[in-house]
Amino acid sequence: MLKPVIACAAALCLALAARANDVEDVSRLLKEGQRNLALERVNKALEEKPRDPQARFLKGVILTEQGKSKEAMEIFGKLTQDYPELPEPYNNLAVIYAGQGEYDKARTALEQSIRAHPSYATAYENLGDLYANLASQAYGKALQIDSSNASAQNKLSLVRELMGAAAPVPAPAKPEPVSDPTADILKAVNSWAQAWSRKDVAGYLAHYAKDFHPPGDLSRAHWESARRARIEAPHTIAVEIGSPKVTMQGNDTALVVFQQTYRSDRFNGTSTKTLTMVKSNGRWLIREEKVG
């Protein structure tokens, strides 16, 4: 059984995502089976931000569940062109191909998913299931030609026992996506740096947790006001993250140490920075920020 994913976490680090509340509402409605209402919400989000990868991905998932495979394939295919580094669209394309019996295309899509994200467990599992189904079909064909072939019969039985079913690829299920905490944390840090580089103040501040500890004795409001002024003042900003190291401190807390290179038309500098990251409502946010 090939498994699709219903969330594209990596997309949040590559482009401005739709408003978090909209995406959460769409995901909730989809899990509740309210596909038509979920489609209305995601279309509304796409009216505001037509290129948003998370909203586009969710629309593809909804269309897949509605049986509109052709439209879903167009969305996932375009996402692989716009964001070739995302593994999820390739994975869901493979699910659709497999459901249509196009196993070569499914295998190619899964291999592309793995190349995009070598530690993406869902794609590896799906690729194994795909090969097992292909093996089941091949052994079945061998038995049609020679029903006395005991070796093929034993192998077919083993494959079917492994897959837990005798039928070809069944309809896709909808499990929770497998997530690599370290990869998700680094994506969040890169997203923060990208928002800073774009001078997107709202996006930048959205990467800080509600219980963020501003440096010194500043209040959160004064700190945000100061950061806004510092970001808006230069004409251009470029922030690069170098040699990041993630140290987990439990399931929902991590330290990230890296070399930060800052360039603007007013100042250039490199420093060592440490971020304390916490997981809140599925997102990794900054609780504390230290320089040096």
Side-chain angles (χ1 to χ4, degrees), residues 144-222:
Q144 289 178 11
I145 297 172
D146 180 9
S147 60
S148 63
N149 189 330
S151 176
Q153 180 61 62
N154 289 336
K155 291 176 182 177
L156 178 60
S157 297
L158 287 172
V159 171
R160 287 179 171 176
E161 182 179 354
L162 175 65
M163 295 301 296
V169 181
K174 188 179 67 177
E176 291 296 321
V178 177
S179 178
D180 178 357
T182 299
D184 289 344
I185 292 166
L186 292 178
K187 288 169 185 173
V189 173
N190 284 321
S191 176
W192 164 78
Q194 290 165 9
W196 191 356
S197 298
R198 292 193 303 268
K199 293 167 57 68
D200 173 15
V201 178
Y204 169 85
L205 294 176
H207 286 81
Y208 289 84
K210 291 182 179 180
D211 59 348
F212 171 69
H213 308 310
D217 297 325
L218 288 176
S219 68
R220 178 65 178 260
H222 287 163

Side-chain angles (χ1 to χ4, degrees), residues 60 64 69-70 72-73 76 91-101 172:
T64 301
S69 298
K70 183 177 180 181
M73 289 175 67
F76 292 137
N91 180 82
N92 282 23
L93 268 177
V95 172
I96 297 174
Y97 283 136
Q100 296 175 344

Side-chain angles (χ1 to χ4, degrees), residues 262-276:
Y262 175 94
R263 298 185 182 89
S264 74
D265 52 290
R266 297 189 174 195
F267 173 79
N268 295 334
T270 300
S271 60
T272 299
K273 181 164 285 189
T274 301
L275 300 180
T276 300

Side-chain angles (χ1 to χ4, degrees), residues 118-137:
S119 61
Y120 190 50
T122 299
Y124 283 105
E125 182 180 357
N126 281 342
L127 189 59
D129 287 349
L130 179 63
Y131 281 130
N133 276 285
L134 289 171
S136 176
Q137 291 184 7

Side-chain angles (χ1 to χ4, degrees), residues 41-81:
R41 293 286 180 85
V42 81
N43 282 335
K44 181 179 178 181
L46 286 170
E47 287 177 2
E48 297 180 10
K49 295 180 179 178
R51 286 184 54 81
D52 182 86
Q54 181 78 321
R56 290 162 63 189
F57 184 86
L58 282 171
K59 183 172 182 178
V61 172
I62 296 168
L63 292 173
T64 301
E65 294 196 356
Q66 290 180 332
K68 300 176 181 178
S69 298
K70 183 177 180 181
E71 296 176 45
M73 289 175 67
E74 291 177 358
I75 290 176
F76 292 137
K78 192 64 169 62
L79 279 170
T80 64
Q81 297 173 17

Side-chain angles (χ1 to χ4, degrees), residues 21 29 151 182 223 283:
N21 289 340
L29 291 169
S151 176
T182 299
W223 173 81
R283 294 186 61 205

